[in-house]
Amino acid sequence: MTRTPMWSCDFDDCDKPSVRKYGECILCDRHLCAKHLRAEYHKCPEWEDEKLYDPAAREAERREITALLRKINISALLSRASVLRNGVSCSTRRPLQYDRSQRSSVMGGMNYHIEIRFEDGVSWLARIRRVNATSPPSDLRAHIMRSEVSTLLFLGKTKVPAPEVFDYYLDEGNPVGVGYILMEKMGGQSLRWSITSADQRRKVMDQLADIYSELQTFSFDSVGSLDQPGTEHVGSFARESLTDYRESRMLPLGPFTSSREYHIASIQLTLDLIMRGECFTPQAIDAYLIHRYLLDLLLDNTFCPNRDDGKFYLRHADNKGDHLLVDEEYNITGVVDWEWAHTDTKSGAFNSPIMLLPVGDFYDGKNDLGEDELVFAQLLEEKGQEELAQIVREGRVLHRFEFCCGYDLADWEGFLGLFQGLRSVLKVDGDLDWEAWREKALIKYRDDDGLKELAIRHK
């Protein structure tokens, strides 16, 4: 679900996509890739085995993090934290050095974390944006960080258990030497949905239904990202995959007054990038046909979620499970990783989180809801949220559409099932396999100027 923009990897032999829409497979750097993240694969306790990583990638990561840590003035960071707590002294949990054995506890795909411990037992996190070959330019990094701060400050007004923000700086022009967010360190461990029992899942989903109920009480007037800390202002999207650059000028999409307007603009950006040779270069014609088709679904109103009330609601953009922190009893202690969060229609904001999808069936093109989704809908209904329950029950078409938009075609096996499933659920060419559909699309769009140009270019 990715595209490679101008700031992509600069290694000649690297074909990894650099823009992430939701998250990534830890093994191949693709979100929910069909090969690695099928349900049966999750059951393997060694799925994060270091031997599965390319040694060159590990060395690149070591160099990146070492360079980042050298920039951090840890004394200034600790001094700032102490001042914010009226002089309570503090220290870091471990020395600032790259240690791969501690990778999962301090680092994600986008951010590095430093734990700050105060002498009275309170712990904070310093969240620092990573800078590597796949990072966007500094102005976009700042836009994303500003939006995350705005989102967390807004959530502080709700009952959603999200980290409290104590301080932030968007760029490197400060005594710490890097942009950072100082936030509350929430208790618990990241949820590993695939190894939970049925009872544990039900308990988590019951709490998640309460979070949905809380978030639907707060509405916004447009689709986009919160972008002014301390306010509820919705501005342009703070996300790599929804940002263009022209003559080094950042051009983020949005805000929009409708979901349809947002999806059209997003797909049109993808088509523009294909034509400029900035994404999908190995399969430009296939990618163009796919996204031209997705655009037609919107223009013809074939794809049209029908449970929208004209308002917009906050949506977590990376809800694959590890965004939830739980204690040993599977009580949700926190909802984290709110970068890329945005407002969306009711159908989009309250569809079932992707962690509930029956991954194997989903990639095989089957459109029946999974057991977890059905239980989640039931729990919502039991809490008096009949409309949200129905959104979950009707949510497969939206899942399919969003996965197909910008999907990384290097995971071709995964895409074929997703695309077949979309056409099947919409009852539009659902009986055609890829080759038959492609031939039909080539005829349908033969007069399209973009397709004609690509055909000449790729002869």
Side-chain angles (χ1 to χ4, degrees), residues 69-142:
L69 297 181
R70 285 176 181 161
K71 296 170 65 175
I72 299 173
N73 185 333
I74 191 62
S75 296
L77 180 65
L78 295 176
S79 176
R80 178 60 178 160
S82 180
V83 166
L84 291 169
R85 292 210 65 219
N86 298 316
V88 179
S89 63
C90 57
S91 61
T92 57
R93 180 178 178 183
R94 56 175 65 90
L96 285 192
Q97 61 186 30
Y98 178 69
D99 183 349
R100 189 169 179 81
S101 67
Q102 303 293 333
R103 185 183 191 278
S104 61
S105 62
V106 300
M107 186 169 63
M110 300 291 113
N111 299 284
Y112 188 90
H113 298 90
I114 299 172
E115 183 175 351
I116 298 173
R117 289 187 171 182
F118 294 88
E119 63 179 4
D120 60 359
V122 173
S123 289
W124 287 3
L125 284 179
R127 183 169 167 93
I128 299 166
R129 185 81 175 187
R130 293 175 58 183
V131 180
N132 53 37
T134 65
S135 298
S138 59
D139 52 355
L140 181 50
R141 294 199 304 270

Side-chain angles (χ1 to χ4, degrees), residues 62-309:
R62 184 196 67 77
R63 292 196 305 268
E64 172 214 337
I65 299 303
T66 299
L68 175 65
L69 297 181
R70 285 176 181 161
K71 296 170 65 175
I72 299 173
N73 185 333
I74 191 62
S75 296
L77 180 65
L78 295 176
S79 176
R80 178 60 178 160
S82 180
V83 166
L84 291 169
R85 292 210 65 219
N86 298 316
V88 179
S89 63
C90 57
S91 61
T92 57
R93 180 178 178 183
R94 56 175 65 90
L96 285 192
Q97 61 186 30
Y98 178 69
D99 183 349
R100 189 169 179 81
S101 67
Q102 303 293 333
R103 185 183 191 278
S104 61
S105 62
V106 300
M107 186 169 63
M110 300 291 113
N111 299 284
Y112 188 90
H113 298 90
I114 299 172
E115 183 175 351
I116 298 173
R117 289 187 171 182
F118 294 88
E119 63 179 4
D120 60 359
V122 173
S123 289
W124 287 3
L125 284 179
R127 183 169 167 93
I128 299 166
R129 185 81 175 187
R130 293 175 58 183
V131 180
N132 53 37
T134 65
S135 298
S138 59
D139 52 355
L140 181 50
R141 294 199 304 270
H143 183 41
I144 293 170
M145 184 180 288
R146 183 185 298 107
S147 176
E148 182 176 11
V149 170
S150 301
T151 301
L152 290 174
L153 291 175
F154 163 74
L155 288 168
K157 305 175 185 178
T158 74
K159 298 176 183 178
V160 177
E164 183 179 355
V165 172
F166 304 110
D167 192 31
Y168 65 94
Y169 213 99
L170 299 179
D171 57 43
E172 298 180 357
N174 69 90
V176 176
V178 294
Y180 64 85
I181 305 174
L182 276 176
M183 62 175 64
E184 173 188 8
K185 183 181 187 297
M186 309 199 80
Q189 299 293 323
S190 294
L191 175 65
R192 294 186 64 187
W193 188 252
S194 59
I195 63 172
T196 55
S197 67
D199 287 343
Q200 290 165 342
R201 290 185 174 208
R202 186 179 183 91
K203 184 171 183 178
V204 170
M205 287 189 286
D206 185 73
Q207 298 167 80
L208 192 58
D210 290 333
I211 291 173
Y212 270 36
S213 298
E214 172 71 2
L215 287 176
Q216 80 150 344
T217 65
F218 299 88
S219 62
F220 302 86
D221 58 4
S222 57
V223 180
S225 298
L226 296 176
D227 67 347
Q228 296 180 10
T231 76
E232 297 181 13
H233 181 267
V234 176
S236 60
F237 275 87
R239 192 171 190 152
E240 293 94 320
S241 60
L242 296 173
T243 303
D244 195 6
Y245 270 83
R246 294 293 183 100
E247 298 178 349
S248 300
R249 180 187 175 198
M250 183 178 73
L251 300 171
L253 298 184
F256 300 103
T257 57
S258 72
S259 175
R260 183 173 181 270
E261 182 185 7
Y262 150 57
H263 284 302
I264 288 174
S266 175
I267 294 173
Q268 188 59 62
L269 174 58
T270 300
L271 291 170
D272 291 346
L273 292 174
I274 293 171
M275 296 306 301
R276 281 150 45 188
E278 295 179 23
C279 69
F280 293 116
T281 51
Q283 287 182 265
I285 291 177
D286 288 345
Y288 190 90
L289 290 172
I290 291 161
H291 288 86
R292 188 66 182 81
Y293 171 81
L294 295 173
L295 182 61
D296 274 358
L297 294 180
L298 292 162
L299 296 176
D300 298 340
N301 291 316
T302 303
F303 167 71
C304 185
N306 59 5
R307 290 194 174 271
D308 298 330
D309 58 3

